[in-house]
Amino acid sequence: MIVGNGEVAEAGAGIIDAADFVIRFNDCRSYGAGGSRTDAVAVCNTGRPAKAMLGSREWRAHPGVVSAREIWSVRDPDKFAAIRAPLAVSHPDLDDFCDDYTEAFGAFCSEAGKKHVVIDRSIHEAVDASLSAFVPGDYVVPSSGMIVIAEVLSKFPDAEVILAGFGHAGWEWHPFAAERQLVDSYAAVGRLKRLGEKTLVSSSYGA
């Protein structure tokens, strides 16, 4: 179960908590209305979100973060080091976007007895390639939700993958329209489904 930070369908909490493995994102905004089971928290490990989480006592004490056995860093440090220079030209306002906090998340995991997973840049690059079929236009990087979906589908090809709390909205430089189409294509061939939806292809997506 991959639970984004959007609205979760009514009565979805029980289904989410009954899953074998539940992944939430960053500050676990889905926690509560979207159930409480949390096996992994996927974090943006670069830039302002990373700095804010690591510097927050509230984040470290959040019951979702505390109960998670794993922290997934969605941004490969080498990949983001490589995009820093071109990004400085195309988006100079994002001067701290590639600041890397991966080691700090690793240290947090060591202290807290958690496994630290860093999603490889090959996943990011495969997502970029897949999105190109849907004419995504100009964007900076795929959303964390899309990266985690690709990681799960790659590592666990035989698992039943269900999405909840994905509302196709968020940061302007994520290619949400193309991501929705890509996830719709996965749903159409049965690689994943969305919680509470019998007809999958028309639903919306985002994280």
Side-chain angles (χ1 to χ4, degrees):
M1 185 74 68
I2 305 173
V3 190
N5 285 329
E7 185 177 351
V8 174
E10 188 176 351
I15 298 171
I16 291 169
D17 284 345
D20 294 318
F21 196 86
V22 177
I23 305 167
R24 301 184 193 272
F25 292 86
N26 291 325
D27 55 2
C28 297
R29 276 176 281 162
S30 63
Y31 192 95
S36 60
R37 176 166 184 164
T38 309
D39 297 284
V41 178
V43 298
C44 289
N45 50 301
T46 71
R48 297 167 201 170
K51 185 177 182 180
M53 282 183 280
L54 289 165
S56 168
R57 292 182 181 178
E58 289 80 7
W59 181 79
R60 292 170 179 264
H62 189 287
V65 175
V66 171
S67 65
R69 304 192 308 271
E70 303 179 4
I71 300 294
W72 291 15
S73 288
V74 303
R75 295 174 170 175
D76 182 291
D78 291 338
K79 175 66 177 178
F80 277 71
I83 69 174
R84 181 185 288 274
L87 197 62
V89 176
S90 63
H91 296 78
D93 54 316
L94 299 179
D95 57 323
D96 58 354
F97 184 77
C98 296
D99 290 356
D100 182 46
Y101 294 89
T102 307
E103 288 188 5
F105 278 109
F108 165 73
C109 288
S110 294
E111 294 166 5
K114 302 180 188 299
K115 180 180 180 181
H116 186 213
V117 175
V118 181
I119 297 179
D120 191 78
R121 67 184 296 169
S122 62
I123 295 293
H124 184 133
E125 290 164 358
V127 168
D128 283 333
S130 296
L131 288 170
S132 67
F134 301 99
V135 194
D138 292 332
Y139 68 95
V140 173
V141 292
S143 70
S144 297
M146 191 69 248
I147 296 297
V148 167
I149 289 169
E151 171 79 351
V152 169
L153 293 179
S154 174
K155 282 196 170 181
F156 310 103
D158 298 323
E160 180 184 19
V161 179
I162 303 174
L163 308 185
F166 282 77
H168 180 41
W171 191 47
E172 62 179 317
W173 294 114
H174 289 324
F176 282 117
E179 289 187 6
R180 177 185 61 199
Q181 292 176 286
L182 177 56
V183 175
D184 284 347
S185 74
Y186 293 152
V189 297
R191 296 194 69 192
L192 53 74
K193 58 185 177 181
R194 294 184 176 85
L195 181 63
E197 296 183 359
K198 294 180 180 178
T199 303
L200 302 173
V201 175
S202 63
S203 59
S204 63
Y205 160 77

